[in-house]
Amino acid sequence: MTVHLLSLMQSKKIHKVSIVMGSQSDFKTMKLCQKVFKILKVKFETKIISAHRTPNRMYDYAKRAEKNKISVIIAGAGGSAHLPGMIASLTTIPVIGVPIESKKLKGLDSLLSIAQMPKGIPVGTVAIGEDGAINAALLAASIISLSDEKLKINLNKWRIKQSSSVKKKPK
Ligand code: RP5
């Protein structure tokens, strides 16, 4: 098979991002990922999976993710936030962790839990809370856009719109 044909097939692949979170309480943050994907026209699914409250669900989900044709996983978790790392240990699909702002430590606990993965199992980590959820979706879109020309165009349009929304002078 020629390289050209291969890249053509890759660009035809329909990518899907899986958004998962440890609790219903994370959804107010994680729904911002959905918002970004709707604008960029990225396919997604959304699930609640807790590493400690539903460990079997987490295991089954991570083991089936490749078969389910998931391209990138975004996992939001708060407190001792082990969900992104545990999922990453069960699949080689890229995992982006969103540290949820916790009540007691304002998300610093979540940030350190997600970012400080020991070598061997990487988790891409974004900022705490809503900015992190938005950037996680944009990062997932960037990854997918490597083999999806239409998405690359949408992503560039989004950047241009963002630049033009910044006023030249403060009021
Ligand atoms: C984590 O515990 C979740 O990701 C959530 O951020 C945190 C608190 O969960 P709830 O007690 O609100 O269900 O597993």
Side-chain angles (χ1 to χ4, degrees), residues 2-29:
T2 64
V3 176
H4 179 68
L5 196 59
L6 245 170
S7 65
L8 206 72
M9 281 173 68
Q10 273 182 339
S11 73
K12 288 265 179 294
K13 185 181 172 198
I14 296 170
H15 293 279
K16 186 156 93 179
V17 178
S18 188
I19 306 165
V20 297
M21 63 209 78
S23 166
Q24 174 67 47
S25 65
D26 299 333
F27 188 53
K28 57 181 179 303
T29 307

PDB file of all heavy atoms in Angstrom, residues 2-29:
ATOM      1  N   THR A   2       0.559   2.194  -0.882  1.00  0.00           N
ATOM      2  CA  THR A   2       1.404   3.392  -0.950  1.00  0.00           C
ATOM      3  C   THR A   2       1.174   4.278   0.277  1.00  0.00           C
ATOM      4  O   THR A   2       0.126   4.210   0.912  1.00  0.00           O
ATOM      5  CB  THR A   2       1.088   4.216  -2.212  1.00  0.00           C
ATOM      6  OG1 THR A   2      -0.245   4.661  -2.080  1.00  0.00           O
ATOM      7  CG2 THR A   2       1.288   3.432  -3.471  1.00  0.00           C
ATOM      8  N   VAL A   3       2.179   5.110   0.551  1.00  0.00           N
ATOM      9  CA  VAL A   3       2.095   6.020   1.692  1.00  0.00           C
ATOM     10  C   VAL A   3       0.905   6.963   1.518  1.00  0.00           C
ATOM     11  O   VAL A   3       0.169   7.269   2.454  1.00  0.00           O
ATOM     12  CB  VAL A   3       3.409   6.829   1.840  1.00  0.00           C
ATOM     13  CG1 VAL A   3       3.301   7.856   2.952  1.00  0.00           C
ATOM     14  CG2 VAL A   3       4.572   5.883   2.107  1.00  0.00           C
ATOM     15  N   HIS A   4       0.699   7.403   0.234  1.00  0.00           N
ATOM     16  CA  HIS A   4      -0.392   8.337  -0.053  1.00  0.00           C
ATOM     17  C   HIS A   4      -1.756   7.730   0.299  1.00  0.00           C
ATOM     18  O   HIS A   4      -2.592   8.357   0.925  1.00  0.00           O
ATOM     19  CB  HIS A   4      -0.335   8.743  -1.517  1.00  0.00           C
ATOM     20  CG  HIS A   4      -1.435   9.684  -1.892  1.00  0.00           C
ATOM     21  ND1 HIS A   4      -1.485  10.972  -1.396  1.00  0.00           N
ATOM     22  CD2 HIS A   4      -2.537   9.521  -2.655  1.00  0.00           C
ATOM     23  CE1 HIS A   4      -2.575  11.567  -1.875  1.00  0.00           C
ATOM     24  NE2 HIS A   4      -3.228  10.706  -2.630  1.00  0.00           N
ATOM     25  N   LEU A   5      -1.932   6.475  -0.110  1.00  0.00           N
ATOM     26  CA  LEU A   5      -3.203   5.786   0.149  1.00  0.00           C
ATOM     27  C   LEU A   5      -3.424   5.634   1.653  1.00  0.00           C
ATOM     28  O   LEU A   5      -4.532   5.821   2.157  1.00  0.00           O
ATOM     29  CB  LEU A   5      -3.184   4.417  -0.531  1.00  0.00           C
ATOM     30  CG  LEU A   5      -4.536   3.725  -0.700  1.00  0.00           C
ATOM     31  CD1 LEU A   5      -5.458   4.605  -1.529  1.00  0.00           C
ATOM     32  CD2 LEU A   5      -4.364   2.385  -1.386  1.00  0.00           C
ATOM     33  N   LEU A   6      -2.334   5.336   2.322  1.00  0.00           N
ATOM     34  CA  LEU A   6      -2.417   5.178   3.788  1.00  0.00           C
ATOM     35  C   LEU A   6      -2.871   6.478   4.455  1.00  0.00           C
ATOM     36  O   LEU A   6      -3.766   6.484   5.302  1.00  0.00           O
ATOM     37  CB  LEU A   6      -1.047   4.789   4.337  1.00  0.00           C
ATOM     38  CG  LEU A   6      -0.956   3.409   4.958  1.00  0.00           C
ATOM     39  CD1 LEU A   6       0.492   3.074   5.238  1.00  0.00           C
ATOM     40  CD2 LEU A   6      -1.787   3.312   6.220  1.00  0.00           C
ATOM     41  N   SER A   7      -2.248   7.595   4.033  1.00  0.00           N
ATOM     42  CA  SER A   7      -2.597   8.875   4.655  1.00  0.00           C
ATOM     43  C   SER A   7      -4.019   9.284   4.292  1.00  0.00           C
ATOM     44  O   SER A   7      -4.723   9.906   5.071  1.00  0.00           O
ATOM     45  CB  SER A   7      -1.586   9.973   4.301  1.00  0.00           C
ATOM     46  OG  SER A   7      -1.646  10.224   2.937  1.00  0.00           O
ATOM     47  N   LEU A   8      -4.463   8.889   3.071  1.00  0.00           N
ATOM     48  CA  LEU A   8      -5.839   9.170   2.661  1.00  0.00           C
ATOM     49  C   LEU A   8      -6.824   8.419   3.554  1.00  0.00           C
ATOM     50  O   LEU A   8      -7.832   8.949   4.024  1.00  0.00           O
ATOM     51  CB  LEU A   8      -6.021   8.748   1.199  1.00  0.00           C
ATOM     52  CG  LEU A   8      -7.110   9.472   0.430  1.00  0.00           C
ATOM     53  CD1 LEU A   8      -6.646  10.902   0.150  1.00  0.00           C
ATOM     54  CD2 LEU A   8      -7.379   8.777  -0.894  1.00  0.00           C
ATOM     55  N   MET A   9      -6.486   7.151   3.848  1.00  0.00           N
ATOM     56  CA  MET A   9      -7.338   6.339   4.707  1.00  0.00           C
ATOM     57  C   MET A   9      -7.388   6.906   6.121  1.00  0.00           C
ATOM     58  O   MET A   9      -8.423   6.942   6.759  1.00  0.00           O
ATOM     59  CB  MET A   9      -6.832   4.891   4.757  1.00  0.00           C
ATOM     60  CG  MET A   9      -7.242   4.097   3.532  1.00  0.00           C
ATOM     61  SD  MET A   9      -6.465   2.501   3.531  1.00  0.00           S
ATOM     62  CE  MET A   9      -7.286   1.736   4.917  1.00  0.00           C
ATOM     63  N   GLN A  10      -6.218   7.380   6.570  1.00  0.00           N
ATOM     64  CA  GLN A  10      -6.156   7.961   7.917  1.00  0.00           C
ATOM     65  C   GLN A  10      -7.048   9.190   8.010  1.00  0.00           C
ATOM     66  O   GLN A  10      -7.752   9.388   8.984  1.00  0.00           O
ATOM     67  CB  GLN A  10      -4.726   8.352   8.246  1.00  0.00           C
ATOM     68  CG  GLN A  10      -3.946   7.209   8.850  1.00  0.00           C
ATOM     69  CD  GLN A  10      -2.544   7.638   9.208  1.00  0.00           C
ATOM     70  OE1 GLN A  10      -2.030   8.617   8.685  1.00  0.00           O
ATOM     71  NE2 GLN A  10      -1.918   6.907  10.105  1.00  0.00           N
ATOM     72  N   SER A  11      -7.001  10.028   6.938  1.00  0.00           N
ATOM     73  CA  SER A  11      -7.780  11.257   6.990  1.00  0.00           C
ATOM     74  C   SER A  11      -9.275  10.972   6.925  1.00  0.00           C
ATOM     75  O   SER A  11     -10.085  11.788   7.285  1.00  0.00           O
ATOM     76  CB  SER A  11      -7.344  12.218   5.886  1.00  0.00           C
ATOM     77  OG  SER A  11      -7.801  11.734   4.659  1.00  0.00           O
ATOM     78  N   LYS A  12      -9.649   9.782   6.422  1.00  0.00           N
ATOM     79  CA  LYS A  12     -11.065   9.403   6.351  1.00  0.00           C
ATOM     80  C   LYS A  12     -11.558   8.821   7.676  1.00  0.00           C
ATOM     81  O   LYS A  12     -12.749   8.660   7.883  1.00  0.00           O
ATOM     82  CB  LYS A  12     -11.273   8.366   5.237  1.00  0.00           C
ATOM     83  CG  LYS A  12     -11.156   8.918   3.832  1.00  0.00           C
ATOM     84  CD  LYS A  12     -12.520   9.284   3.271  1.00  0.00           C
ATOM     85  CE  LYS A  12     -12.464   9.857   1.876  1.00  0.00           C
ATOM     86  NZ  LYS A  12     -11.811  11.152   1.747  1.00  0.00           N
ATOM     87  N   LYS A  13     -10.640   8.501   8.579  1.00  0.00           N
ATOM     88  CA  LYS A  13     -11.027   7.895   9.849  1.00  0.00           C
ATOM     89  C   LYS A  13     -11.887   8.878  10.655  1.00  0.00           C
ATOM     90  O   LYS A  13     -11.543  10.054  10.766  1.00  0.00           O
ATOM     91  CB  LYS A  13      -9.761   7.529  10.638  1.00  0.00           C
ATOM     92  CG  LYS A  13     -10.088   6.797  11.910  1.00  0.00           C
ATOM     93  CD  LYS A  13      -8.866   6.452  12.720  1.00  0.00           C
ATOM     94  CE  LYS A  13      -9.356   5.902  14.050  1.00  0.00           C
ATOM     95  NZ  LYS A  13      -8.370   5.895  15.075  1.00  0.00           N
ATOM     96  N   ILE A  14     -13.001   8.367  11.180  1.00  0.00           N
ATOM     97  CA  ILE A  14     -13.828   9.250  12.010  1.00  0.00           C
ATOM     98  C   ILE A  14     -13.338   9.130  13.447  1.00  0.00           C
ATOM     99  O   ILE A  14     -13.391   8.060  14.047  1.00  0.00           O
ATOM    100  CB  ILE A  14     -15.320   8.883  11.890  1.00  0.00           C
ATOM    101  CG1 ILE A  14     -15.764   9.116  10.448  1.00  0.00           C
ATOM    102  CG2 ILE A  14     -16.171   9.720  12.852  1.00  0.00           C
ATOM    103  CD1 ILE A  14     -17.126   8.581  10.120  1.00  0.00           C
ATOM    104  N   HIS A  15     -12.830  10.241  13.947  1.00  0.00           N
ATOM    105  CA  HIS A  15     -12.266  10.240  15.291  1.00  0.00           C
ATOM    106  C   HIS A  15     -13.345  10.525  16.328  1.00  0.00           C
ATOM    107  O   HIS A  15     -14.248  11.311  16.096  1.00  0.00           O
ATOM    108  CB  HIS A  15     -11.176  11.305  15.402  1.00  0.00           C
ATOM    109  CG  HIS A  15      -9.985  10.987  14.564  1.00  0.00           C
ATOM    110  ND1 HIS A  15      -9.003  10.114  14.974  1.00  0.00           N
ATOM    111  CD2 HIS A  15      -9.609  11.415  13.341  1.00  0.00           C
ATOM    112  CE1 HIS A  15      -8.079  10.032  14.040  1.00  0.00           C
ATOM    113  NE2 HIS A  15      -8.418  10.807  13.037  1.00  0.00           N
ATOM    114  N   LYS A  16     -13.188   9.889  17.474  1.00  0.00           N
ATOM    115  CA  LYS A  16     -14.114  10.168  18.588  1.00  0.00           C
ATOM    116  C   LYS A  16     -13.299  10.373  19.861  1.00  0.00           C
ATOM    117  O   LYS A  16     -12.360   9.625  20.138  1.00  0.00           O
ATOM    118  CB  LYS A  16     -15.079   8.998  18.748  1.00  0.00           C
ATOM    119  CG  LYS A  16     -16.154   9.279  19.785  1.00  0.00           C
ATOM    120  CD  LYS A  16     -17.392   8.446  19.553  1.00  0.00           C
ATOM    121  CE  LYS A  16     -17.321   7.187  20.360  1.00  0.00           C
ATOM    122  NZ  LYS A  16     -18.487   6.321  20.215  1.00  0.00           N
ATOM    123  N   VAL A  17     -13.679  11.408  20.618  1.00  0.00           N
ATOM    124  CA  VAL A  17     -13.040  11.651  21.908  1.00  0.00           C
ATOM    125  C   VAL A  17     -13.971  11.149  23.000  1.00  0.00           C
ATOM    126  O   VAL A  17     -15.187  11.314  22.932  1.00  0.00           O
ATOM    127  CB  VAL A  17     -12.762  13.163  22.123  1.00  0.00           C
ATOM    128  CG1 VAL A  17     -12.139  13.407  23.483  1.00  0.00           C
ATOM    129  CG2 VAL A  17     -11.850  13.700  21.033  1.00  0.00           C
ATOM    130  N   SER A  18     -13.401  10.527  24.003  1.00  0.00           N
ATOM    131  CA  SER A  18     -14.184  10.063  25.138  1.00  0.00           C
ATOM    132  C   SER A  18     -13.918  11.003  26.321  1.00  0.00           C
ATOM    133  O   SER A  18     -12.775  11.184  26.730  1.00  0.00           O
ATOM    134  CB  SER A  18     -13.771   8.629  25.478  1.00  0.00           C
ATOM    135  OG  SER A  18     -14.628   8.107  26.448  1.00  0.00           O
ATOM    136  N   ILE A  19     -14.986  11.614  26.834  1.00  0.00           N
ATOM    137  CA  ILE A  19     -14.871  12.499  27.999  1.00  0.00           C
ATOM    138  C   ILE A  19     -15.385  11.711  29.202  1.00  0.00           C
ATOM    139  O   ILE A  19     -16.546  11.297  29.217  1.00  0.00           O
ATOM    140  CB  ILE A  19     -15.735  13.761  27.830  1.00  0.00           C
ATOM    141  CG1 ILE A  19     -15.419  14.482  26.517  1.00  0.00           C
ATOM    142  CG2 ILE A  19     -15.586  14.696  29.024  1.00  0.00           C
ATOM    143  CD1 ILE A  19     -16.481  15.524  26.113  1.00  0.00           C
ATOM    144  N   VAL A  20     -14.522  11.489  30.175  1.00  0.00           N
ATOM    145  CA  VAL A  20     -14.965  10.765  31.369  1.00  0.00           C
ATOM    146  C   VAL A  20     -14.661  11.600  32.606  1.00  0.00           C
ATOM    147  O   VAL A  20     -13.791  12.461  32.595  1.00  0.00           O
ATOM    148  CB  VAL A  20     -14.300   9.370  31.489  1.00  0.00           C
ATOM    149  CG1 VAL A  20     -14.696   8.484  30.318  1.00  0.00           C
ATOM    150  CG2 VAL A  20     -12.788   9.473  31.566  1.00  0.00           C
ATOM    151  N   MET A  21     -15.434  11.328  33.663  1.00  0.00           N
ATOM    152  CA  MET A  21     -15.218  12.090  34.909  1.00  0.00           C
ATOM    153  C   MET A  21     -15.582  11.222  36.093  1.00  0.00           C
ATOM    154  O   MET A  21     -16.420  10.318  35.981  1.00  0.00           O
ATOM    155  CB  MET A  21     -16.040  13.379  34.889  1.00  0.00           C
ATOM    156  CG  MET A  21     -17.531  13.190  34.839  1.00  0.00           C
ATOM    157  SD  MET A  21     -18.358  14.561  33.997  1.00  0.00           S
ATOM    158  CE  MET A  21     -18.046  14.157  32.280  1.00  0.00           C
ATOM    159  N   GLY A  22     -14.966  11.542  37.237  1.00  0.00           N
ATOM    160  CA  GLY A  22     -15.136  10.722  38.417  1.00  0.00           C
ATOM    161  C   GLY A  22     -16.495  10.821  39.082  1.00  0.00           C
ATOM    162  O   GLY A  22     -16.903   9.908  39.805  1.00  0.00           O
ATOM    163  N   SER A  23     -17.200  11.915  38.855  1.00  0.00           N
ATOM    164  CA  SER A  23     -18.458  12.132  39.577  1.00  0.00           C
ATOM    165  C   SER A  23     -19.361  13.081  38.797  1.00  0.00           C
ATOM    166  O   SER A  23     -18.875  13.897  37.987  1.00  0.00           O
ATOM    167  CB  SER A  23     -18.136  12.748  40.947  1.00  0.00           C
ATOM    168  OG  SER A  23     -19.290  13.261  41.564  1.00  0.00           O
ATOM    169  N   GLN A  24     -20.642  12.985  39.089  1.00  0.00           N
ATOM    170  CA  GLN A  24     -21.603  13.949  38.526  1.00  0.00           C
ATOM    171  C   GLN A  24     -21.178  15.381  38.853  1.00  0.00           C
ATOM    172  O   GLN A  24     -21.342  16.301  38.044  1.00  0.00           O
ATOM    173  CB  GLN A  24     -23.004  13.656  39.111  1.00  0.00           C
ATOM    174  CG  GLN A  24     -24.081  14.660  38.747  1.00  0.00           C
ATOM    175  CD  GLN A  24     -24.419  14.641  37.257  1.00  0.00           C
ATOM    176  OE1 GLN A  24     -24.607  13.580  36.666  1.00  0.00           O
ATOM    177  NE2 GLN A  24     -24.492  15.821  36.655  1.00  0.00           N
ATOM    178  N   SER A  25     -20.581  15.552  40.040  1.00  0.00           N
ATOM    179  CA  SER A  25     -20.194  16.909  40.465  1.00  0.00           C
ATOM    180  C   SER A  25     -19.100  17.512  39.571  1.00  0.00           C
ATOM    181  O   SER A  25     -18.882  18.723  39.596  1.00  0.00           O
ATOM    182  CB  SER A  25     -19.743  16.902  41.933  1.00  0.00           C
ATOM    183  OG  SER A  25     -18.568  16.126  42.087  1.00  0.00           O
ATOM    184  N   ASP A  26     -18.416  16.683  38.787  1.00  0.00           N
ATOM    185  CA  ASP A  26     -17.376  17.192  37.872  1.00  0.00           C
ATOM    186  C   ASP A  26     -17.966  17.732  36.571  1.00  0.00           C
ATOM    187  O   ASP A  26     -17.262  18.395  35.799  1.00  0.00           O
ATOM    188  CB  ASP A  26     -16.381  16.067  37.498  1.00  0.00           C
ATOM    189  CG  ASP A  26     -15.655  15.489  38.710  1.00  0.00           C
ATOM    190  OD1 ASP A  26     -15.498  16.218  39.693  1.00  0.00           O
ATOM    191  OD2 ASP A  26     -15.255  14.315  38.632  1.00  0.00           O
ATOM    192  N   PHE A  27     -19.243  17.433  36.333  1.00  0.00           N
ATOM    193  CA  PHE A  27     -19.813  17.726  35.015  1.00  0.00           C
ATOM    194  C   PHE A  27     -19.897  19.227  34.721  1.00  0.00           C
ATOM    195  O   PHE A  27     -19.761  19.650  33.575  1.00  0.00           O
ATOM    196  CB  PHE A  27     -21.181  17.063  34.851  1.00  0.00           C
ATOM    197  CG  PHE A  27     -21.730  17.156  33.456  1.00  0.00           C
ATOM    198  CD1 PHE A  27     -20.983  16.734  32.360  1.00  0.00           C
ATOM    199  CD2 PHE A  27     -23.000  17.677  33.218  1.00  0.00           C
ATOM    200  CE1 PHE A  27     -21.479  16.823  31.062  1.00  0.00           C
ATOM    201  CE2 PHE A  27     -23.501  17.783  31.933  1.00  0.00           C
ATOM    202  CZ  PHE A  27     -22.743  17.351  30.858  1.00  0.00           C
ATOM    203  N   LYS A  28     -20.097  20.032  35.780  1.00  0.00           N
ATOM    204  CA  LYS A  28     -20.193  21.487  35.518  1.00  0.00           C
ATOM    205  C   LYS A  28     -18.879  22.022  34.911  1.00  0.00           C
ATOM    206  O   LYS A  28     -18.895  22.997  34.171  1.00  0.00           O
ATOM    207  CB  LYS A  28     -20.619  22.268  36.763  1.00  0.00           C
ATOM    208  CG  LYS A  28     -19.748  22.109  37.977  1.00  0.00           C
ATOM    209  CD  LYS A  28     -20.342  22.936  39.129  1.00  0.00           C
ATOM    210  CE  LYS A  28     -19.540  22.817  40.410  1.00  0.00           C
ATOM    211  NZ  LYS A  28     -19.372  21.426  40.903  1.00  0.00           N
ATOM    212  N   THR A  29     -17.784  21.382  35.216  1.00  0.00           N
ATOM    213  CA  THR A  29     -16.497  21.740  34.600  1.00  0.00           C
ATOM    214  C   THR A  29     -16.334  21.023  33.256  1.00  0.00           C
ATOM    215  O   THR A  29     -16.013  21.635  32.237  1.00  0.00           O
ATOM    216  CB  THR A  29     -15.331  21.316  35.528  1.00  0.00           C
ATOM    217  OG1 THR A  29     -15.552  21.869  36.821  1.00  0.00           O
ATOM    218  CG2 THR A  29     -13.992  21.769  34.986  1.00  0.00           C
TER     219      THR A  29
END
